[in-house]
Amino acid sequence: MPLPQLTDFRHDRGERVLITLAGEIDLESAPLIRRALARCLSDGIRTIDIDLTPVTFCDCTGLNVFLHAARQTTKAGGTLRLHHPPPLLGLILDLTGSGFLLLDVPSGPLSPPPGDVPASTAQPLRRRTVPLASLSGDAR
């Protein structure tokens, strides 16, 4: 029998819980996370912290599970926060602009860590505009 791709560890602290996920989060492992988070709500837990430090992979399926669970937790009067997301999930959160829903960070631009180049001297990011016609395959 193959080893599971994802394991979860639950550490209750009164009405707060820390869930540590380890392994890969994808279409196959998403139901495990859904069940674990739904169980927390049914047990009366209203503050859910999810440690993703040992997660080696998380795609948009994982993001969908976390967003759904955050919505359900908010409806129940609680909060759900992700901690230490893996790089790919961090990128997905940035691209979708949904980090503020799941991470415990202020919205808006973050100040640079000490020792970094001050924002006033940093070069702005260059963005390339792609005409919609080129995205649809139309050549004009």
Side-chain angles (χ1 to χ4, degrees):
M1 184 160 113
L3 294 174
Q5 282 187 285
L6 184 74
T7 54
D8 66 318
F9 304 95
R10 179 174 162 170
H11 309 280
D12 289 53
R13 300 179 197 158
E15 292 183 9
R16 182 178 201 131
V17 69
L18 170 65
I19 296 178
T20 302
L21 300 174
E24 297 182 0
I25 301 173
D26 55 19
L27 191 58
E28 187 175 313
S29 60
L32 171 72
I33 300 168
R34 279 191 199 99
R35 284 191 302 273
L37 296 174
R39 196 173 316 117
C40 290
L41 292 177
S42 69
D43 291 346
I45 303 293
R46 294 299 175 257
T47 304
I48 303 171
D49 293 299
I50 302 174
D51 180 13
L52 299 171
T53 303
V55 170
T56 55
F57 175 82
C58 181
D59 62 11
C60 58
T61 305
L63 174 62
N64 188 38
V65 169
F66 294 134
L67 288 171
H68 176 76
R71 186 174 57 235
Q72 297 300 85
T73 305
T74 300
K75 284 181 184 178
T79 59
L80 180 142
R81 291 287 175 250
L82 301 181
H83 302 277
H84 313 289
L88 181 58
L89 180 58
L91 178 62
I92 294 170
L93 289 167
D94 285 344
L95 290 173
T96 61
S98 58
F100 76 97
L101 295 169
L102 298 169
L103 303 174
D104 199 16
V105 296
S107 59
L110 298 175
S111 57
D116 275 5
V117 177
S120 61
T121 62
Q123 295 294 319
L125 291 176
R126 293 197 175 123
R127 296 181 186 241
R128 187 176 78 140
T129 304
V130 178
L132 290 177
S134 67
L135 293 176
S136 65
D138 296 339
R140 294 185 185 190

